[in-house]
Amino acid sequence: MDSPPELAFGQLLIGGISFMLLSGALLVMFIVVYQKRLLQQQLLLRAAEAEYQRQLLAAVIEAQERERERIGRDLHDGIGSTLATAKLLMGRLESTGAQEEASNLSSMVKEILGNAVHDVRGLSHSLYPAVLDRFGLADALQHLADVCNETSTLDVELSIDYPQPLALPQELALYRICQELIHNAQKHAQGATLLQVRLRQHGTRLSLSVEDDGCGFDATALESTRAASGGAGLRSIEVRVQMLRARLSQQSAPGQGTCTLIEMDTAA
């Protein structure tokens, strides 16, 4: 028979082996459960990324369709009606026999056609700013400000410190953001007399701000309005901000104007 010390050692050994086996089983179960949860999280993350890409694509398509609609409206209501008027005047010019009337009609036709040429150039620039492709973002923004000052009652004041130009796709995105913000201010900033546009670059940090002195708005009311209307204009801006991996912030209050700021790290 085994002596009591030997029995105690055997029981201790069996207990230690049982504990190790139980610990190993628990460890295996923990690893299996952890991997299962990790897989579920990865699947949820992929689903969220896929949904985000779907929403991003939908916003881009919506912005494109909205731009096509605007271009079609400008062609029909603006340039189309202008050319139709010129055609009618040309018909009157052919049928008139009075020298003075013919001279007046000729002057009117030239003026109308000149306006049509101006409208076509403006529409062409909105489709793709050739100045941006040839001379860069700074000159393109200057040209945009000049055009706005000529065609709108809202004065645009431009300030640029941009020593290191970015790649063309990034510059085009920044230009479109600025263009949309200026359009929004002209449309919604009631009572505004001045629109300040600032482009600043310090090292790898770049900021673009557009600030007006108009009526401003209540941020809570704006969110509910965007939820109801879709806010296609601002969503188009947000899409481009995301493409640039930038940050967008907006400050406003009733009667205190609106300031929109885009900040990005050009080294990212």
Side-chain angles (χ1 to χ4, degrees):
M1 293 182 61
D2 295 332
S3 63
E6 292 177 344
L7 288 174
F9 175 77
Q11 292 175 352
L12 183 62
L13 181 61
I14 293 173
I17 294 173
S18 300
F19 176 76
M20 291 177 63
L21 291 174
L22 180 61
S23 299
L26 290 174
L27 179 61
V28 171
M29 289 179 61
F30 173 78
I31 293 174
V32 170
V33 172
Y34 175 78
Q35 288 181 339
K36 186 177 180 180
R37 289 183 178 178
L38 183 61
L39 180 61
Q40 290 176 343
Q41 290 178 350
Q42 289 176 344
L43 292 175
L44 290 174
L45 181 61
R46 290 177 183 175
E49 290 178 349
E51 177 63 18
Y52 170 77
Q53 292 296 330
R54 187 193 67 79
Q55 293 179 356
L56 188 63
L57 179 60
V60 170
I61 293 174
E62 182 180 2
Q64 291 175 341
E65 291 301 322
R66 191 170 63 92
E67 185 67 11
R68 290 190 181 102
E69 180 183 357
R70 185 189 67 81
I71 292 169
R73 188 169 57 250
D74 289 346
L75 286 171
H76 180 272
D77 299 339
I79 300 172
S81 61
T82 299
L83 294 178
T85 302
K87 182 179 179 181
L88 290 174
L89 291 176
M90 287 297 297
R92 287 179 54 188
L93 181 60
E94 291 175 353
S95 62
T96 186
Q99 183 67 27
E100 184 177 354
E101 183 179 1
S103 178
N104 291 335
L105 288 174
S106 178
S107 298
M108 292 175 63
V109 170
K110 289 180 180 179
E111 182 179 355
I112 289 174
L113 291 178
N115 292 333
V117 170
H118 181 272
D119 292 342
V120 169
R121 286 176 177 172
L123 185 58
S124 174
H125 183 77
S126 68
L127 285 172
Y128 187 80
V131 176
L132 177 67
D133 191 17
R134 295 178 183 176
F135 304 107
L137 180 61
D139 286 337
L141 290 179
Q142 184 63 61
H143 179 70
L144 177 62
D146 293 340
V147 171
C148 292
N149 286 329
E150 290 179 2
T151 59
S152 174
T153 57
L154 181 59
D155 291 334
V156 178
E157 183 181 278
L158 182 64
S159 176
I160 296 178
D161 181 10
Y162 183 60
Q164 297 178 333
L166 303 179
L168 181 59
Q170 292 176 303
E171 291 197 335
L172 182 58
L174 288 168
Y175 177 85
R176 292 302 188 196
I177 290 171
C178 187
Q179 187 179 39
E180 186 67 38
L181 288 173
I182 291 176
H183 174 73
N184 288 347
Q186 291 173 333
K187 185 176 180 181
H188 300 294
Q190 299 177 4
T193 59
L194 179 64
L195 186 65
Q196 294 179 312
V197 179
R198 301 184 184 91
L199 178 67
R200 294 283 183 269
Q201 186 183 45
H202 298 288
T204 60
R205 311 297 295 178
L206 182 141
S207 65
L208 172 67
S209 66
V210 178
E211 182 177 2
D212 67 72
D213 59 352
C215 59
F217 59 84
D218 179 71
T220 305
L222 177 68
E223 288 300 323
S224 60
T225 303
R226 285 182 60 197
S229 64
L234 190 54
R235 189 154 62 240
S236 173
I237 294 173
E238 290 172 345
V239 167
R240 290 188 169 94
V241 168
Q242 291 167 358
M243 291 171 60
L244 289 170
R245 297 182 180 179
R247 296 172 300 281
L248 182 147
S249 59
Q250 199 167 49
Q251 295 181 344
S252 184
Q256 298 184 20
T258 302
C259 179
T260 304
L261 176 64
I262 290 90
E263 297 176 294
M264 63 177 291
D265 185 356
T266 58

